[in-house]
Amino acid sequence: MDVCKEGETQKSTKKQSDVRRLFDTMEYGTAPESANVAKAWLKQHDNDFGHFINGEWVKKAGRKTYASVNPSTGELLAQTTQGDPGDINHAVCCAQEAQKKWAQTDPHVRARHLYAIARSVQKHHRLIAVMESLDNGKPIRESRDCDIALVARHFYHHAGWAQLADTEMKDWKPVGVVGAIVPWNFPLMLLTWKICPALAMGNTVVLKPASVTRLTALLLAQICHDAGLPPGVFNVVTGNGAFGSLLASHPAVDKVAFTGSTPVGQTLRKLTAGTGKKLSLELGGKSPVIVMDTADLDSAVEGIVDAIYFNQGQVCSAGSRLLVQETVYEKFIEKIKERLTHFRIGPSMDKTIDMGAVVSEAQLNTISEYVESARKEGAIVFQASYEMPKKGFYYPPTLITNVQTSSRVVQEEVFGPVLVAMSFRTAKEAISMGNNTNYGLAGSVWSENLPTALEIANSLKAGAIWINCHNMFDAAAGFGGYRESGFGRDGGKEGLYEYVRPAWEARPNPNPEKIDFTKYASAYGSQILPGPGQGVPNKKLNEDSGCINVDHTYKVYYGGAQKRPDGCYCRPIMAASDGSGDNKQQVVAYVGECNRKDVRNAVEAAHKAAPGWGKRAAHNRAQILYYMAENLELRKNEIATRIHTITGQTMEASLLEVDLSVRRFFYWSAYADKYGGTVQETNLYGCTVCIREPVGVIGIACPDESPLLSFVSLFAPAIVRANCVVIIPSEKYPLPALDLYQVFDTSDLPAGVVNILSGERDHLAKYLAEHQNVDAMWYFGTAEGSKFVEHASACNLKRTWVNYGISRDWTNSVQSEGEEFLYHVTQCKNIWMPMGTTFAN
C-alpha cells in the first residue's frame, strides 16, 4: 500500500509540475479545424470547376486548367478553368442583358436580394471560412472572426442602400456592367466590397478573382444563385493575370473596379484611357504606425502585431513602417522583439496559430529577396527562433532596424510579415516621415494624448487613419487611398458614387483617333501661329482722344501676379466673324502663349499656397467667393461686351452668362462650410469620422462653350473646398477669364490659389497631366485630349475628370452644379477613434 501511495503521489506531483510549466511557458497544443465539409463541397464538383455564368456552371472540354493549392500544406484542392476571350464575351453579354432588367427592378426588391445573400452567408459562415483559409493560407480564426463577418456586414449594409436608392441617390443612375478584379490576400472580402455597392445601385457584375485564390468566389456565386439572385447579375470567370486585362478592355464593360498592386493599377489606367469607362483603384500602401512617448506602450505592441502580422502582412494597409519617438524607441523595440518570441506559426486550419503561410512560393521568394537586400544595405534583421512547418510557404515575422528613410524596404511595399522601424524626435518630424511616401492608403497613431493624436491623424495624407488601433474596417466607412494608393472608395455612401453616373448623362462611347503618346501636343502654336499677320489689326480710334487705343496684351497669372509667358510668344484672339465672308477676322487682343515652364511655375505657386489656403476657415473661403461675385457684377457690362465681341452671341445672352457666373459664385460659397464630412455609423465602439479633404493641386482645362461661366463653374467649387488650381481658360475665347485678374486682386484671394495659363489647351494639359505634383486633372476638350489625359495620369495615378469630347450645357444647373462637382473636389479620410471601457459592457 505504501508503494502504491508513493506512486500516486509522484504522478500527482508530475501533473502539478506540468500544469505549472504550461502556465509559465504558455505552451499549448494544436486545435485543428475540420475541413471535411469544404472538401466534400469540392468533391461534389469533382474537384474541377468551370466558370459561373448566367446562373450556371460553364465548363468547356479541352480547356487548360489551373491547380488551386493549399499554401499551408501544398495539398491540391481543385482544378479551375483557364478562360479565354470567348468566355469573357459570354459572361459580359449575359451581364449586359441581365442589367437591363436589374436596373429597372424596384429598389426594395434589390434590397431583398442582398438581404437574402447576407442571410445565406451567415448560414454557411463556417464552410466559407474554412474554404477561404484552405485556399489562401490565412489562419482560420482570421477568416472566421474577421473576413466572413465583414462579408455578411457588407451585404446587410448595402441592402439598406438598395432600399434607399430612389431617395438618397435620386440624381444618379447605374453605370451598367461592372468588371471587378480582385487580389489574393482577401479573396472573398474584397470581392464583396465591389459587388455589394454595384448590385445595390442596379449594376451587374463580371468578377475575375486572383489566379491563386479562386475557390471562395465560385462558392459565393453558388450561394448567391441559391439565394435567388437572378441569372446574369453576378458572374465569375477564372483565368490568369492577362485575363483581367481582357475583361477590363471589353467594350461592353462600363466600369472597372480593381484592387491590387500599384503597377497593375497603372496598367489598367492606361488600358481604359479614352474609353468612357469609369475606373476605381484600391492599390498598395506603405502605412506608417506612429508611436508617441505618451502611448500605452504595451497596448501599442499588441496593436502593431495586428497591424503588420495580420494575414502574414499580406494586407494593403499593413502598418509596415514603425515610427517611434526616440525617447521610448529602444524600450519599445525590445518589447516588440520579446513579443515576437511568443509567436505561433503553423497550418491555416490550426485555431491556435498567430500566423499561417504566405499565399505562394513566388510571394515567399519576393519577401525573402526584400529582407536580404536590406541586410546588404546594412540593416539589422531580427527574426526569433521558430519551429517552422516543413511543408508550405512560411516566412517568420521579421523586424528590421538601422534603416534610412530612402531604404528600399522603407519605400517599397513588401507585402509580407516584415516591419521596418525608425525613430523621430517631434510630432512634426513624425508627420513628415509618415508622409514621405508615394502611397497614401492608411496609417495609425498611438498616444493617450488625444489632441496630439488627432492633429497627427489630420495631417497624414491617407484615406484611413486609426487612433490607438489599426486595420479596423466596416461597411459604413469607405476605404481607399490617396496618391499611388489609388482613387475611389469601397464602403459607405462615398463608395456608392463609384458605381453610378449622373442621371442626365449618357454613357460616353468615344472613338478617338490613334494617339502617339510620346508626341501628342508636344509643340505649341500648332493651331494658331503665335505671331503677327493672323488677322486684321485693331486700328479703331479712341472716341475721346482721337488716337488709336492703347495696346492691351494679356499676361498670364500665377503666384498672385501677372507674368510674361516664359517663351515670350503671344497668340491673337479674334472677334467673332461679321458674316461678310472675309477670311480674316479682327484681332481683339493678344494673350500669352504658355509652355511647360509656365506650367512648372504655376504648379509650384499652387503648392506654396495650398497649406495656408487649406487652413483658412471655411467662412473665410466663402467670403472671398462672395467678394468675387460682388466685383464681377460691378464689371458686368464690360465683361458681357467682351463675351459678345469674341463669341458673337447676343448681348442679352452675354449679360445672362455674367449673371449666371455671379449666381454660381453664390452657389459654391454656400458649400464652403456645408460639406466637411460626417460621423460614420460603424460597429466600432467609439467614433469614426469622415473628413472630406481637398484633393490638392488640380489642373483644369476649360471648354470653349460659355467661356466665362464654364471657367467659374470649374474653379469655384475646387477652391471653395480648399484646393488650389492651375487653370487653362477657353483656348478660343480666353479674355473673359483673363479679365478676372483684377477681380481676384480686389477680392482678397491669396496668391497662388488660382493660377491662369493661356495658350493651346492640349499642349498645356499634356504637361499638367504628366506633372508628378498635380493631384488631379480635369479636361473638357476633345476625345483625343481626354484619352491622352487619362493615359498620362497613370504616372502618379492622379484623379481625372474628362468629357470625352462631349459638351455639357453650362447654363443648366443640373449639369454644372451639385454632387458630381463635390465628388471631384474632395476625397474622404476616415479617422477611427475607439473610446474607453467605462460603458463598453
Side-chain angles (χ1 to χ4, degrees), residues 379-499:
I380 299 171
V381 177
F382 175 83
Q383 294 171 331
S385 297
Y386 300 104
E387 187 177 339
M388 306 284 280
K390 293 182 173 56
K391 289 184 179 180
F393 312 125
Y394 293 91
Y395 197 86
T398 302
L399 172 65
I400 301 179
T401 55
N402 196 37
V403 291
Q404 306 301 317
T405 54
S406 59
S407 297
R408 185 173 168 227
V409 287
V410 175
Q411 289 296 322
E412 297 181 19
E413 186 180 34
V414 177
F415 222 62
V418 178
L419 177 65
V420 294
M422 294 174 287
S423 65
F424 64 86
R425 286 163 293 183
T426 65
K428 275 189 177 181
E429 187 179 6
I431 293 166
S432 177
M433 292 173 70
N435 287 330
N436 182 30
T437 174
N438 291 332
Y439 298 108
L441 189 58
S444 60
V445 184
W446 298 79
S447 173
E448 296 297 290
N449 185 329
L450 187 58
T452 297
L454 281 173
E455 186 175 29
I456 294 173
N458 203 46
S459 301
L460 291 174
K461 300 303 179 186
I465 302 295
W466 298 283
I467 293 177
N468 294 328
C469 56
H470 200 103
N471 282 337
M472 305 292 288
F473 306 104
D474 189 81
F479 182 79
Y482 294 6
R483 297 184 288 197
E484 290 186 21
S485 289
F487 46 80
R489 295 294 181 265
D490 291 319
K493 186 176 183 180
E494 56 266 37
L496 300 180
Y497 295 104
E498 306 305 324
Y499 298 92

Side-chain angles (χ1 to χ4, degrees), residues 297-350:
L297 298 186
D298 292 323
S299 295
V301 166
E302 293 304 314
I304 288 159
V305 164
D306 281 340
I308 180 58
Y309 302 119
F310 173 62
N311 196 28
Q312 297 73 251
Q314 299 168 134
V315 185
C316 50
S317 59
S320 52
R321 286 189 297 147
L322 175 60
L323 308 177
V324 185
Q325 199 155 17
E326 66 178 14
T327 49
V328 294
Y329 178 79
E330 296 295 339
K331 179 180 180 181
F332 194 74
I333 292 299
E334 288 306 311
K335 285 179 176 288
I336 292 282
K337 289 179 179 179
E338 174 62 24
R339 179 63 180 85
L340 291 184
T341 63
H342 298 285
F343 252 55
R344 289 172 65 92
I345 303 172
S348 61
M349 301 311 292
D350 184 352

Side-chain angles (χ1 to χ4, degrees), residues 618-812:
H619 169 73
N620 180 257
R621 294 197 300 271
Q623 201 67 45
I624 288 171
L625 258 68
Y626 283 128
Y627 290 158
M628 289 181 187
E630 180 182 325
N631 290 318
L632 175 59
E633 189 161 70
L634 289 174
R635 302 180 63 185
K636 175 179 176 178
N637 290 329
E638 172 197 346
I639 293 177
T641 301
R642 189 96 65 208
I643 295 171
H644 166 68
T645 301
I646 61 177
T647 66
Q649 68 186 34
T650 67
M651 193 63 191
E652 183 182 6
S654 300
L655 288 167
L656 177 61
E657 183 170 343
V658 178
D659 283 337
L660 288 174
S661 298
V662 171
R663 180 186 290 263
R664 200 107 333 141
F665 276 127
F666 265 73
Y667 178 85
W668 288 116
S669 295
Y671 268 107
D673 56 1
K674 298 175 182 66
Y675 201 71
T678 185
V679 175
Q680 311 278 44
E681 296 186 84
T682 66
N683 285 333
L684 177 75
Y685 182 69
C687 295
T688 305
V689 179
C690 173
I691 299 175
R692 291 189 174 95
E693 293 194 325
V695 175
V697 173
I698 301 176
I700 305 174
C702 295
D704 289 329
E705 303 85 31
S706 303
L708 175 65
L709 183 58
S710 61
F711 180 83
V712 171
S713 298
L714 289 167
F715 91 80
I719 68 168
V720 84
R721 293 306 315 168
N723 299 281
C724 293
V725 301
V726 178
I727 187 166
I728 308 162
S730 163
E731 178 179 334
K732 198 173 180 182
Y733 312 119
L735 301 188
L738 301 183
D739 281 329
L740 295 187
Y741 294 172
Q742 292 88 354
V743 169
F744 295 154
D745 289 342
T746 55
S747 300
D748 296 337
L749 181 71
V753 174
V754 177
N755 307 275
I756 307 176
L757 301 180
S758 56
E760 189 172 321
R761 177 175 52 226
D762 287 358
H763 178 69
L764 297 174
K766 167 186 171 67
Y767 294 112
L768 282 170
E770 292 176 341
H771 202 296
Q772 290 282 348
N773 290 328
V774 172
D775 301 296
M777 181 67 204
W778 303 351
Y779 176 89
F780 293 83
T782 65
E784 289 72 27
S786 297
K787 181 175 182 177
F788 179 85
V789 164
E790 289 191 329
H791 189 276
S793 71
C795 65
N796 68 338
L797 288 168
K798 58 173 65 68
R799 291 172 61 176
T800 59
W801 184 18
V802 302
N803 71 337
Y804 303 107
I806 302 168
S807 299
R808 67 173 64 200
D809 182 358
W810 294 97
T811 64
N812 184 344

Side-chain angles (χ1 to χ4, degrees), residues 466-634:
W466 298 283
I467 293 177
N468 294 328
C469 56
H470 200 103
N471 282 337
M472 305 292 288
F473 306 104
D474 189 81
F479 182 79
Y482 294 6
R483 297 184 288 197
E484 290 186 21
S485 289
F487 46 80
R489 295 294 181 265
D490 291 319
K493 186 176 183 180
E494 56 266 37
L496 300 180
Y497 295 104
E498 306 305 324
Y499 298 92
V500 293
R501 67 173 69 257
W504 62 268
E505 183 182 70
R507 198 286 204 194
N509 284 293
N511 187 26
E513 296 178 3
K514 190 174 181 180
I515 294 174
D516 183 345
F517 292 107
T518 60
K519 297 180 180 178
Y520 181 80
S522 57
Y524 59 71
S526 59
Q527 304 296 320
I528 298 177
L529 183 68
Q534 305 305 304
V536 178
N538 185 357
K539 299 178 180 179
K540 187 176 180 181
L541 297 180
N542 186 288
E543 294 179 359
D544 297 324
S545 66
C547 302
I548 62 170
N549 287 314
V550 175
D551 176 71
H552 185 188
T553 299
Y554 288 82
K555 297 178 181 178
V556 298
Y557 184 81
Y558 59 81
Q562 298 184 48
K563 313 271 187 176
R564 289 188 176 87
D566 172 79
C568 291
Y569 283 110
C570 291
R571 63 163 49 207
I573 302 301
M574 312 295 187
S577 173
D578 59 7
S580 65
D582 189 350
N583 290 331
K584 283 198 172 185
Q585 297 166 258
Q586 187 177 66
V587 176
V588 177
Y590 283 87
V591 301
E593 183 82 63
C594 293
N595 61 22
R596 64 190 303 171
K597 289 186 178 179
D598 297 302
V599 169
R600 177 200 63 190
N601 295 340
V603 171
E604 286 180 359
H607 268 283
K608 186 177 180 180
W613 184 239
K615 290 177 182 177
R616 291 264 182 143
H619 169 73
N620 180 257
R621 294 197 300 271
Q623 201 67 45
I624 288 171
L625 258 68
Y626 283 128
Y627 290 158
M628 289 181 187
E630 180 182 325
N631 290 318
L632 175 59
E633 189 161 70
L634 289 174

Side-chain angles (χ1 to χ4, degrees), residues 121-122 125 142-156 189 683:
V121 167
Q122 289 182 318
H125 187 125
E142 292 180 6
S143 298
R144 179 195 65 207
D145 299 340
C146 177
D147 293 20
I148 312 308
L150 264 174
V151 168
R153 164 73 174 137
H154 270 264
F155 276 109
Y156 278 124
M189 188 171 78
N683 285 333

